[in-house]
Amino acid sequence: MRTTQYLLSTLKETPASAEVISHQLMLRAGLVRNVASGLYTWLPTGLKVLRKVENIVREEMERAGAIEVLMPMVQPADLWEESGRLNDYGPELLRINDRHDRAFVLGPTHEEVITKLVANEINSYKQLPLNVFQIQTKFRDEIRPRFGVMRGREFLMKDAYSFHLGEACLQKTYQIMFDAYCRIFDRLGLDYRPVIADTGSIGGQASHEFHVLADSGEDDIAFSDASDFAANVEKAEAIAPLGERAEPTQQISTVELKLERLIKTSNIDLKNTVKTLLVLGASAAGEPEKFIALVLRGDHQLNEVKVENLSGIASPLTFATDEQISAIANCHITSLGPKGLSVDVIVDRSAAHLNDFVCGANVNGQSYTGVNWQRDCDEINIQDIRNVVEGDPSPCGSGNIVIKRGIEVGHIFQLGEKYAQAMNCGVLTENGKNQTLTMGCYGIGVSRIVAAAIEQNHDAYGIKWPAAIAPFQVAIVPMNMAKSARVKETAEALYAQLQQAGIEVIFDDRKERPGVMFADHELIGTPILLIVGERNLDEQNVEVKNRISGEKSLMAISDIMSLFS
Amino acid sequence: MRTTQYLLSTLKETPASAEVISHQLMLRAGLVRNVASGLYTWLPTGLKVLRKVENIVREEMERAGAIEVLMPMVQPADLWEESGRLNDYGPELLRINDRHDRAFVLGPTHEEVITKLVANEINSYKQLPLNVFQIQTKFRDEIRPRFGVMRGREFLMKDAYSFHLGEACLQKTYQIMFDAYCRIFDRLGLDYRPVIADTGSIGGQASHEFHVLADSGEDDIAFSDASDFAANVEKAEAIAPLGERAEPTQQISTVELKLERLIKTSNIDLKNTVKTLLVLGASAAGEPEKFIALVLRGDHQLNEVKVENLSGIASPLTFATDEQISAIANCHITSLGPKGLSVDVIVDRSAAHLNDFVCGANVNGQSYTGVNWQRDCDEINIQDIRNVVEGDPSPCGSGNIVIKRGIEVGHIFQLGEKYAQAMNCGVLTENGKNQTLTMGCYGIGVSRIVAAAIEQNHDAYGIKWPAAIAPFQVAIVPMNMAKSARVKETAEALYAQLQQAGIEVIFDDRKERPGVMFADHELIGTPILLIVGERNLDEQNVEVKNRISGEKSLMAISDIMSLFS
């Protein structure tokens, strides 16, 4: 490709609208342009990267035995009615009516369409297992699209769905897909981790997320410093402290200070205090509201997902209002404490291990010190309800927790029978009985990977693409070609030679100053720059610059092809 | 691919809902499945064909110097407001509101998005010409989707847009794209014709359609039987008959019969009669309505597009009601005639050439015979307002018109400045002045090509794919593999060998009767069947069946690879 016949569209300035580095660089390097909130046009350079990611994903899906299909983006709403998600999905599901006022949705995912298809096409156990995938445009009406294609509204996804007779068969395909995902991210050249994940609203049993590690990631991931263990912080278990709880050593006493103030004035360790929250309990229709107290160590954070998964808790998780707290404990939330509280109490494992601790006294502005669970409180229910923190023992039993940030680029689920049951998707078994299928589903954010790769691979000058997804393998940058026939001839000859060998080469034939050309190619992140200059041509050399290492060296023109072998 | 690990999904019965042969075969051969009206899932076999078409289109676009981008399917409505098409486009443009109630459309085409992009990205004449394309999903809310993917609502299209400084540059790219289109349809192996087309609602100047010839086509195309001339019947010029108009030979006389009845009773040739229509003339707001008579030879059909393009005619073309006709001529439409009519008269070239003709007398149930234009009628305006018919002299000056049916699969336009002007898309010229760009646009219906290829290439057994787009190059069909270890070994070895050589092979490893397997592969249209049977293995032969010619022959297993070299 000659630059003069290409749409380079690099920008010198960083657009003010772009908050994260990948979005800034994608705009500056001419990869995408914004069309409307969360909607982007992929420019030629960006599209080359996108297609390379897509091809690697496709190859590994095929290697894993998945078969490619293509489902429509516009889906009839009645399929979503059938699965029960039309109401559940919320406003991210864009609902539309056609000219005949029939209801449709813009597909954010395709469980319904594929389950319906399989229900119609597959009749016998002999046709199973079946694993189908597509690489297709999806739409999710994000309330606040941001970070460019990282959290856009229209985006490219690979979604795969597998169908099985029974759990064992699903487990086998799940493992095959897990391995395929690892191969994909290995081939993409990204530093990633598969992590144990919460299944979220898609439902189902086991689930792994694949994260590209980057400081700018939106998710916290808990690792063991001594094993392969990795889990989304939302899902990582906080295990109970070792040892038995000690006997009381102090008398309980009342202090005329709010807990917060007490900690400041009395040099109390936050780790020896507890905080108390009130949430709505689950109750049947018509029954009076019921509240439940949640108690955590003062230095720990509530994990709402863990609480929601407990029985007896209202879903979605709902915190008591100030008025409700007053009615129950006759005090403000900051003075709540577990002693003498007239509701059921759930205590986090770490808080439950405390002895002689400090807490609110359920009287405004008063605290207790020297509290002990067995001596001073009613019976408590001990659960894991907090986020893990760095230094916690790893739940795998080996090492301690380290927390890093990640960008979720893949997610695999064991869905179970949720969709197959709702949509009547079953087959005749060997015994002639009808059995509902068990499903898995497997997503990869193809366009998101492009942004994540940049978050992980950039420097002050621009993008440093992993070789497998660089838009061009090499750039030819001639110095003052207009003034030197020899430079022009050499550059043209090199270009012809590289093109003929099938190398993806960009030839910068613009009449620009060398500085401008270098800046553009460093920004775009082409791995190798071949600099053709008059002063090296006497020895028939060109300068080779490695974008990743920054190294420069002279190389004989006749040896250039060895760079690509 | 092994059939047992694939989603073959062939059907024995033709679904009643499918009207045309391509739709029937696409369902039966397991290429697509209907999701909702005009919405289809592409099954694996169909998607393979679709991708082959897509790849040929992409390669030829790149060869023509077009650069690939990817624009969003969801487009902000304000861009359509800016171009003026938001109101003009009608209900095929699906309008949607997002969760914030902002207006969007599902893109049926991308002139607005690309013109806006180019307006922002291109500033200098040095960056021109620019030719960009995308292969992308489009949505058109057809009032009555039918014929499967031939007239679906969501479909895959290649759309390209070129930008130029001036007409001459556009002409050059237009010719390059014309040639690229010919190469594409040549490579696809289709019998097609580029035809001169009407530009329709997209507007602009010159335009060609590319049609795949098939008896089931929706469009009539006029060809010369002696030259390359081809035009959509809507656009083909009906030239004036040769020679001078003769002098009157008969006296005009009144017959007490309606024209229709007169023709039946008096052995009058329809070709020597004229029929008269009344349409609304163009008039400024506030002016009274004005009517214009259109006169055609009795055996000719009005071409509404040609009439609409004449000056002085109301747009859209509006026929007078029975009441309006009565008010003007005091008779029914069937008794209208050009003599003595109190409105302007436009006469078709062929009708204008008649002498001593028969027409209505503007009195109910009465006709004139022996009418002559110069002697009996007021001044007339002679125009081309009819469809050409078979046997007409070709407007190219060589040969006569033959009419064939075609399926439109491509359309190229010279758009001129329509969009660039509306959206302020210009550059600085060499002289430093701002100049509006001139545009071309170039579409190919990628998914429609799959259906058109089938309409043109099928027989009673199924699809006969052109080699370039067959889903598989070859099928291995073993006879009773379960009972013969030798058949199984040979088939497996052949499969391994073909796969290793990169041949797209489907290995029918089902436990099915030979008849079922043959029927499926003939239906799917795989060009070559390799039939592995016990009785030929003594001589180390397999039977080779050519799907296109139907020929069968024995071939040594060791020679099989020569079929693919």
Side-chain angles (χ1 to χ4, degrees):
Chain A
M1 187 59 70
R2 287 170 193 270
T3 314
T4 53
Q5 291 167 18
Y6 188 66
L7 191 60
L8 204 61
S9 282
T10 51
L11 304 175
K12 283 197 189 68
E13 307 293 331
T14 299
S17 62
E19 298 173 59
V20 294
I21 190 74
S22 61
H23 190 198
Q24 292 168 2
L25 288 173
M26 287 184 80
L27 292 171
R28 286 193 51 214
L31 304 188
V32 295
R33 284 295 179 269
N34 188 240
V35 175
S37 177
L39 301 174
Y40 291 86
T41 288
W42 289 80
L43 297 179
T45 310
L47 187 60
K48 283 177 193 293
V49 180
L50 190 70
R51 293 282 182 242
K52 290 193 175 190
V53 176
E54 184 182 329
N55 286 338
I56 288 174
V57 171
R58 177 174 289 114
E59 283 172 20
E60 293 302 332
M61 282 300 103
E62 288 178 348
R63 184 133 75 113
I67 305 167
E68 191 170 3
V69 299
L70 183 64
M71 294 179 262
M73 185 167 168
V74 175
Q75 306 176 13
D78 53 10
L79 285 183
W80 286 66
E81 186 84 66
E82 205 175 327
S83 74
R85 285 209 297 178
L86 192 61
N87 291 323
D88 292 355
Y89 207 94
E92 283 188 9
L93 181 68
L94 189 63
R95 293 137 213 261
I96 55 184
N97 287 316
D98 72 0
R99 64 193 289 168
H100 302 299
D101 214 29
R102 285 178 300 223
F104 290 84
V105 303
L106 274 196
T109 165
H110 280 73
E111 280 82 2
E112 282 80 3
V113 177
I114 194 68
T115 306
K116 195 57 152 187
L117 180 83
V118 170
N120 289 334
E121 300 300 321
I122 301 291
N123 312 306
S124 160
Y125 70 96
K126 291 182 197 165
Q127 296 169 281
L128 297 174
L130 180 70
N131 187 358
V132 293
F133 77 101
Q134 64 174 352
I135 298 178
Q136 189 246 22
T137 304
K138 307 232 175 289
F139 193 90
R140 204 168 289 167
D141 201 2
E142 292 276 353
I143 188 162
R144 198 161 70 88
R146 62 206 150 124
F147 309 152
V149 301
M150 188 86 88
R151 191 173 286 279
R153 294 201 285 178
E154 188 174 320
F155 52 95
L156 194 65
M157 235 185 107
K158 186 284 297 174
D159 45 328
Y161 307 88
S162 68
F163 295 83
H164 313 270
L165 212 53
E167 193 65 23
C169 180
L170 168 60
Q171 297 293 349
K172 208 171 143 189
T173 297
Y174 188 84
Q175 187 60 46
I176 289 170
M177 292 297 268
F178 185 98
D179 296 342
Y181 272 49
C182 291
R183 276 199 305 272
I184 287 167
F185 295 110
D186 284 339
R187 284 184 60 186
L188 290 170
L190 298 174
D191 184 13
Y192 72 97
R193 296 291 186 283
V195 309
I196 299 163
D198 185 68
T199 50
S201 67
I202 296 199
Q205 300 117 9
S207 165
H208 285 86
E209 291 169 1
F210 287 76
H211 282 262
V212 168
L213 298 185
D215 293 340
S216 55
E218 282 194 280
D219 288 298
D220 281 322
I221 302 161
F223 294 92
S224 164
D225 60 8
S227 82
D228 277 347
F229 175 83
N232 195 308
V233 160
E234 287 183 351
K235 189 77 175 178
E237 186 185 359
I239 62 171
L242 294 175
E244 291 296 307
R245 291 192 286 178
E247 287 301 303
T249 62
Q250 295 178 17
Q251 286 305 309
I252 186 167
S253 58
T254 306
V255 182
E256 300 287 333
L257 274 178
K258 278 211 294 192
L259 185 57
E260 205 179 323
R261 182 105 190 106
L262 185 64
I263 291 164
K264 277 191 190 153
T265 55
S266 308
N267 207 18
I268 292 171
D269 188 349
L270 204 58
K271 291 181 177 167
N272 206 37
T273 70
V274 304
K275 55 187 172 190
T276 305
L277 303 164
L278 271 181
V279 299
L280 207 55
S283 56
E287 280 182 21
E289 279 180 335
K290 189 183 157 190
F291 290 90
I292 290 170
L294 306 175
V295 181
L296 295 145
R297 230 169 65 180
D299 59 328
H300 285 153
Q301 294 298 320
L302 184 73
N303 181 310
E304 300 191 9
V305 178
K306 290 178 179 176
V307 177
E308 268 196 336
N309 288 339
L310 295 179
S311 65
I313 302 289
S315 177
L317 188 64
T318 310
F319 290 93
T321 62
D322 288 350
E323 290 71 33
Q324 290 168 329
I325 294 170
S326 270
I328 289 165
N330 201 24
C331 69
H332 189 258
I333 186 170
T334 52
S335 294
L336 280 177
K339 175 175 158 52
L341 205 54
S342 61
V343 300
D344 289 348
V345 177
I346 296 175
V347 181
D348 181 67
R349 288 168 173 173
S350 295
H353 208 78
L354 292 180
N355 203 28
D356 300 330
F357 60 85
V358 179
C359 65
N362 297 319
V363 176
N364 275 338
Q366 296 196 6
S367 304
Y368 290 125
T369 63
V371 186
N372 286 278
W373 289 111
Q374 292 99 321
R375 185 189 66 194
D376 303 323
C377 299
D378 292 337
E379 200 182 343
I380 56 173
N381 174 6
I382 301 173
Q383 298 288 351
D384 170 19
I385 60 171
R386 69 169 174 98
N387 286 337
V388 291
V389 293
E390 293 223 336
D392 276 346
S394 173
C396 69
S398 170
N400 293 313
I401 291 289
V402 179
I403 291 179
K404 289 186 185 170
R405 298 188 77 81
I407 301 166
E408 185 192 336
V409 288
H411 202 160
I412 61 178
F413 297 90
Q414 295 179 20
L415 281 178
E417 298 184 358
K418 179 180 155 91
Y419 293 92
Q421 201 144 47
M423 306 190 80
N424 208 5
C425 179
V427 296
L428 289 182
T429 65
E430 215 162 349
N431 306 325
K433 283 186 186 160
N434 195 66
Q435 185 175 329
T436 302
L437 299 189
T438 296
M439 286 174 63
C441 83
Y442 317 87
I444 285 186
V446 177
S447 35
R448 182 175 250 220
I449 283 175
V450 178
I454 296 172
E455 290 289 340
Q456 194 178 75
N457 300 281
H458 64 269
D459 62 15
Y461 304 105
I463 305 167
K464 297 166 81 171
W465 290 113
I469 56 175
F472 299 101
Q473 293 172 269
V474 55
I476 299 173
V477 186
M479 302 288 92
N480 298 312
M481 194 164 68
K483 290 184 187 156
S484 162
R486 203 156 62 139
V487 167
K488 184 169 163 54
E489 271 164 33
T490 308
E492 290 279 1
L494 257 178
Y495 179 55
Q497 189 185 4
L498 289 167
Q499 271 204 313
Q500 199 153 29
I503 309 289
E504 294 154 308
V505 52
I506 181 153
F507 174 23
D508 203 334
D509 61 344
R510 291 176 297 175
K511 287 180 190 161
E512 286 284 5
R513 285 180 294 111
V516 170
M517 295 198 279
F518 287 136
D520 273 349
H521 295 290
E522 303 243 34
L523 178 59
I524 292 172
T526 307
I528 299 170
L529 268 61
L530 301 180
I531 302 155
V532 184
E534 183 66 38
R535 63 175 175 174
N536 294 318
L537 287 182
D538 285 340
E539 273 78 47
Q540 286 291 300
N541 285 333
V542 295
E543 196 177 334
V544 179
K545 182 167 180 188
N546 184 309
R547 172 70 182 95
I548 308 298
S549 68
E551 281 169 47
K552 288 183 185 182
S553 57
L554 286 180
M555 192 174 219
I557 292 170
S558 55
D559 288 346
I560 290 296
M561 292 310 293
S562 68
L563 289 168
F564 308 100
S565 56
Chain B
M1 187 59 70
R2 287 171 192 271
T3 313
T4 54
Q5 290 167 17
Y6 188 67
L7 191 60
L8 205 62
S9 281
T10 51
L11 304 174
K12 283 196 187 68
E13 307 293 330
T14 299
S17 62
E19 297 173 59
V20 295
I21 190 74
S22 60
H23 190 197
Q24 291 168 3
L25 288 174
M26 287 184 81
L27 292 171
R28 286 193 52 214
L31 303 189
V32 294
R33 283 296 179 267
N34 188 241
V35 175
S37 176
L39 301 174
Y40 291 86
T41 288
W42 289 81
L43 297 179
T45 310
L47 187 59
K48 283 177 193 292
V49 180
L50 190 71
R51 293 281 182 241
K52 290 193 174 190
V53 176
E54 184 182 330
N55 286 338
I56 288 174
V57 171
R58 176 174 290 115
E59 283 172 20
E60 292 303 333
M61 282 300 104
E62 288 178 348
R63 184 133 76 112
I67 305 167
E68 191 170 3
V69 298
L70 184 63
M71 293 180 263
M73 185 166 168
V74 175
Q75 306 176 12
D78 54 10
L79 285 182
W80 286 68
E81 186 84 67
E82 204 176 327
S83 74
R85 286 208 298 178
L86 193 61
N87 290 322
D88 292 355
Y89 207 94
E92 283 187 9
L93 180 67
L94 189 63
R95 293 138 214 260
I96 54 184
N97 288 317
D98 73 0
R99 63 193 290 168
H100 302 297
D101 214 31
R102 285 178 300 223
F104 291 84
V105 304
L106 273 196
T109 165
H110 280 72
E111 281 81 1
E112 282 79 3
V113 177
I114 194 67
T115 306
K116 195 56 154 188
L117 180 83
V118 170
N120 289 333
E121 300 300 321
I122 301 290
N123 312 306
S124 161
Y125 70 95
K126 291 182 195 164
Q127 295 168 281
L128 297 174
L130 179 71
N131 187 359
V132 293
F133 78 102
Q134 64 174 351
I135 298 178
Q136 189 246 24
T137 304
K138 306 231 176 290
F139 193 90
R140 204 168 288 167
D141 201 3
E142 291 277 352
I143 189 162
R144 198 160 70 88
R146 61 207 151 126
F147 308 152
V149 301
M150 189 85 89
R151 192 174 285 279
R153 294 200 285 177
E154 189 175 319
F155 52 95
L156 194 65
M157 235 185 106
K158 187 283 298 175
D159 45 329
Y161 307 89
S162 68
F163 295 84
H164 312 269
L165 212 54
E167 194 66 23
C169 180
L170 167 60
Q171 296 292 349
K172 207 170 144 190
T173 297
Y174 188 84
Q175 187 60 46
I176 289 170
M177 292 297 268
F178 184 100
D179 295 342
Y181 272 48
C182 291
R183 275 198 306 273
I184 287 167
F185 295 111
D186 284 340
R187 284 184 60 185
L188 290 171
L190 297 174
D191 183 14
Y192 72 97
R193 296 290 186 285
V195 309
I196 300 163
D198 184 68
T199 50
S201 66
I202 296 201
Q205 299 118 10
S207 165
H208 285 87
E209 291 169 0
F210 287 76
H211 282 262
V212 168
L213 299 184
D215 293 340
S216 56
E218 283 193 280
D219 287 298
D220 281 323
I221 302 161
F223 294 92
S224 164
D225 60 8
S227 81
D228 277 346
F229 174 84
N232 194 308
V233 160
E234 287 184 351
K235 189 77 176 180
E237 185 185 0
I239 62 172
L242 294 176
E244 291 297 306
R245 291 191 286 179
E247 288 301 303
T249 61
Q250 296 176 17
Q251 286 305 307
I252 185 166
S253 59
T254 305
V255 182
E256 302 287 332
L257 273 178
K258 278 212 294 193
L259 185 57
E260 206 179 320
R261 181 107 191 105
L262 186 64
I263 291 165
K264 277 192 189 150
T265 54
S266 308
N267 207 18
I268 292 171
D269 187 349
L270 203 57
K271 290 182 178 168
N272 205 38
T273 70
V274 304
K275 56 188 171 191
T276 305
L277 303 163
L278 271 182
V279 298
L280 206 54
S283 56
E287 280 183 21
E289 280 180 334
K290 189 184 156 191
F291 289 89
I292 291 170
L294 306 175
V295 181
L296 295 145
R297 229 169 65 181
D299 61 327
H300 285 155
Q301 295 298 320
L302 185 72
N303 181 312
E304 300 191 10
V305 178
K306 290 178 180 176
V307 176
E308 269 197 336
N309 288 339
L310 296 178
S311 64
I313 302 288
S315 177
L317 189 64
T318 310
F319 290 93
T321 62
D322 287 350
E323 290 71 31
Q324 290 168 330
I325 294 170
S326 271
I328 288 164
N330 201 23
C331 71
H332 189 258
I333 187 169
T334 52
S335 295
L336 278 178
K339 174 175 156 54
L341 204 54
S342 61
V343 299
D344 289 348
V345 177
I346 296 174
V347 181
D348 181 66
R349 289 168 173 171
S350 296
H353 208 78
L354 293 179
N355 204 27
D356 300 330
F357 60 84
V358 179
C359 65
N362 297 318
V363 176
N364 274 339
Q366 297 197 9
S367 302
Y368 290 124
T369 62
V371 186
N372 286 278
W373 288 111
Q374 291 99 322
R375 185 188 65 193
D376 304 322
C377 299
D378 293 336
E379 197 181 346
I380 56 172
N381 174 4
I382 302 173
Q383 298 288 351
D384 170 20
I385 61 170
R386 71 168 173 98
N387 286 337
V388 291
V389 293
E390 293 222 337
D392 277 347
S394 173
C396 69
S398 170
N400 294 313
I401 291 288
V402 179
I403 292 179
K404 288 187 185 170
R405 298 188 77 81
I407 300 165
E408 186 192 336
V409 288
H411 203 160
I412 62 178
F413 297 91
Q414 295 178 19
L415 280 178
E417 298 184 358
K418 179 180 154 90
Y419 294 91
Q421 201 144 48
M423 306 189 81
N424 207 7
C425 179
V427 296
L428 289 181
T429 64
E430 213 161 351
N431 307 324
K433 282 186 189 162
N434 195 66
Q435 186 175 329
T436 301
L437 299 189
T438 296
M439 286 174 63
C441 83
Y442 317 87
I444 285 186
V446 177
S447 35
R448 181 175 250 220
I449 283 174
V450 178
I454 296 172
E455 290 290 340
Q456 195 178 72
N457 300 280
H458 64 269
D459 62 15
Y461 303 104
I463 305 167
K464 298 167 79 169
W465 291 113
I469 56 175
F472 299 100
Q473 293 171 269
V474 57
I476 299 173
V477 187
M479 302 288 93
N480 298 314
M481 194 165 67
K483 290 183 187 156
S484 163
R486 203 157 62 140
V487 167
K488 184 169 164 53
E489 272 163 34
T490 308
E492 290 279 0
L494 257 177
Y495 179 55
Q497 188 186 6
L498 290 166
Q499 271 204 314
Q500 199 154 31
I503 310 289
E504 293 154 309
V505 53
I506 182 154
F507 173 24
D508 204 334
D509 61 344
R510 292 176 295 175
K511 286 179 190 161
E512 286 285 3
R513 286 179 293 110
V516 170
M517 295 198 280
F518 287 137
D520 273 348
H521 295 288
E522 304 244 34
L523 178 59
I524 293 171
T526 307
I528 300 172
L529 267 60
L530 301 181
I531 303 155
V532 184
E534 183 65 40
R535 63 177 176 171
N536 294 317
L537 286 183
D538 286 340
E539 273 78 45
Q540 285 291 301
N541 285 334
V542 296
E543 196 176 334
V544 178
K545 181 166 179 189
N546 183 311
R547 172 70 183 95
I548 309 299
S549 68
E551 281 169 45
K552 288 183 186 182
S553 57
L554 286 181
M555 192 174 217
I557 292 169
S558 54
D559 289 345
I560 291 296
M561 293 309 294
S562 69
L563 290 168
F564 307 100
S565 56

